[in-house]
Amino acid sequence: MNNYNDLQEIINENRIPAEIIINDGTTESSIDASNELGVNIDNIVKSICLTDKDNRNIVVILKGSDKIDLKKVSDITGYKKVRLMTKDEIKNRIGYEAGGVPPIGYQAIFIMDKDLLNKDTVYCGGGSKNAMLKINVKDIIKIDKPIINDIKK
C-alpha cells in the first residue's frame, strides 16, 4: 500500500510546489482535516473513489463541504451502476487507505467539480489518515487532466 513517501515521489517527478503536512491527529474526514489544519472546510478537497459495473476506477474531486451526486457522475461518464468503492477496493485498486487518498498519483478517470476552479491552494488527502497534501488546483488539473463539471448535489 502506498503512503505519503510515495506521494512525495510523485510531487518530485512532476516538479510541482506541493507540500505534505504530517498531523498529530487524524485528517480522515473533511471536518477532521479542517479542525486539524485550522482552515475553512471549503479549502479542504476530498477524493471520492468510485467504480462501475465494468470495474473502472473513477475518482471525484470536490470541496470537503460538498456531497457527490452519483447520477451526475453516471450521466457525465456514461457509465452504469456507479457506486462508492469499499475500503478494501480503495486500498487494493487505488493504493492508498480510505481517508488519506490524494487527488494525484494513480490510474483513474478523474472528475473535478467546477467550483474548484475558483480555488488556488487547497488541502487534500496526503497518502495516510494523518497526512494532508497542500497543492494548487492548477497542478491537480495538470497531472490528472480531469473532466471538469458540476458533480455535487
Coordinates of all heavy atoms in Angstrom, one line a residue, residues 43 45 115-123 134-140:
N43 N -11.7 24.9 1.9 CA -10.4 24.8 1.4 C -9.9 23.3 1.5 O -8.7 23.0 1.2 CB -9.4 25.7 2.2 CG -9.7 27.2 1.8 OD1 -10.0 27.5 0.7 ND2 -9.6 28.0 2.8
V45 N -10.3 19.5 0.2 CA -10.8 18.8 -1.0 C -10.7 17.4 -0.8 O -9.7 16.8 -0.2 CB -9.9 19.3 -2.2 CG1 -10.3 18.4 -3.4 CG2 -10.1 20.7 -2.6
D115 N -16.6 24.0 -9.3 CA -16.4 25.0 -8.2 C -14.9 25.1 -7.8 O -14.5 26.2 -7.3 CB -17.3 24.8 -7.0 CG -18.7 25.1 -7.3 OD1 -19.0 25.7 -8.4 OD2 -19.6 24.9 -6.4
L116 N -14.1 24.1 -8.0 CA -12.7 24.1 -7.6 C -11.9 25.0 -8.4 O -10.8 25.4 -8.1 CB -12.1 22.7 -7.5 CG -12.7 21.8 -6.4 CD1 -12.0 20.4 -6.5 CD2 -12.4 22.4 -5.1
L117 N -12.4 25.4 -9.6 CA -11.7 26.3 -10.5 C -11.6 27.7 -9.9 O -10.7 28.5 -10.3 CB -12.4 26.4 -11.9 CG -12.4 25.1 -12.7 CD1 -13.2 25.3 -14.0 CD2 -11.0 24.6 -13.0
N118 N -12.4 28.0 -8.9 CA -12.3 29.3 -8.2 C -11.3 29.2 -7.0 O -11.2 30.2 -6.3 CB -13.7 29.6 -7.6 CG -14.8 29.8 -8.7 OD1 -14.5 30.2 -9.8 ND2 -16.0 29.3 -8.4
K119 N -10.7 28.1 -6.8 CA -9.7 28.0 -5.7 C -8.3 28.0 -6.2 O -8.0 27.7 -7.4 CB -9.9 26.6 -5.0 CG -11.3 26.5 -4.3 CD -11.2 27.3 -3.0 CE -12.5 27.1 -2.2 NZ -12.5 28.0 -1.1
D120 N -7.4 28.4 -5.4 CA -6.0 28.4 -5.7 C -5.4 27.2 -5.0 O -5.4 26.1 -5.5 CB -5.3 29.7 -5.3 CG -5.7 30.8 -6.2 OD1 -5.8 30.6 -7.4 OD2 -5.9 32.0 -5.7
T121 N -4.9 27.4 -3.7 CA -4.3 26.3 -2.9 C -5.4 25.6 -2.1 O -6.2 26.3 -1.5 CB -3.2 26.9 -2.0 OG1 -2.2 27.5 -2.9 CG2 -2.6 25.8 -1.2
V122 N -5.3 24.3 -2.1 CA -6.3 23.5 -1.3 C -5.5 22.4 -0.5 O -4.3 22.2 -0.8 CB -7.4 22.9 -2.2 CG1 -8.3 23.9 -2.9 CG2 -6.7 22.0 -3.3
Y123 N -6.2 21.8 0.4 CA -5.7 20.7 1.2 C -6.4 19.4 0.9 O -7.7 19.4 1.0 CB -5.8 21.1 2.7 CG -5.0 22.3 3.1 CD1 -5.6 23.6 2.9 CD2 -3.7 22.2 3.5 CE1 -4.9 24.7 3.2 CE2 -2.9 23.4 3.8 CZ -3.5 24.6 3.7 OH -2.8 25.8 4.0
K134 N -0.9 19.8 0.5 CA -1.2 21.2 0.2 C -0.8 21.4 -1.3 O 0.4 21.2 -1.6 CB -0.4 22.2 1.1 CG -0.7 23.6 0.8 CD 0.1 24.5 1.8 CE -0.1 26.0 1.6 NZ 0.8 26.8 2.5
I135 N -1.7 21.7 -2.2 CA -1.5 21.7 -3.6 C -2.3 22.8 -4.3 O -3.4 23.1 -3.8 CB -1.7 20.3 -4.2 CG1 -1.2 20.2 -5.6 CG2 -3.2 19.9 -4.0 CD1 -1.2 18.8 -6.2
N136 N -1.8 23.3 -5.4 CA -2.6 24.3 -6.2 C -3.5 23.5 -7.1 O -3.1 22.5 -7.7 CB -1.6 25.1 -7.0 CG -2.4 26.3 -7.6 OD1 -3.2 26.1 -8.5 ND2 -2.0 27.5 -7.2
V137 N -4.8 23.9 -7.2 CA -5.7 23.3 -8.1 C -5.2 23.1 -9.5 O -5.4 22.1 -10.2 CB -7.1 24.0 -8.0 CG1 -8.1 23.5 -9.1 CG2 -7.7 23.9 -6.6
K138 N -4.5 24.1 -10.0 CA -3.9 24.1 -11.4 C -3.0 22.9 -11.5 O -2.9 22.3 -12.6 CB -3.3 25.4 -11.7 CG -4.2 26.5 -11.9 CD -3.5 27.8 -12.2 CE -4.6 28.9 -12.3 NZ -4.1 30.2 -12.2
D139 N -2.3 22.5 -10.4 CA -1.4 21.4 -10.5 C -2.1 20.1 -10.5 O -1.7 19.1 -11.2 CB -0.3 21.4 -9.4 CG 0.7 22.6 -9.5 OD1 1.1 22.9 -10.7 OD2 1.0 23.2 -8.5
I140 N -3.2 20.0 -9.8 CA -4.1 18.8 -9.9 C -4.6 18.6 -11.3 O -4.5 17.5 -11.9 CB -5.3 18.9 -8.9 CG1 -4.8 19.0 -7.5 CG2 -6.2 17.7 -9.1 CD1 -5.9 19.3 -6.5

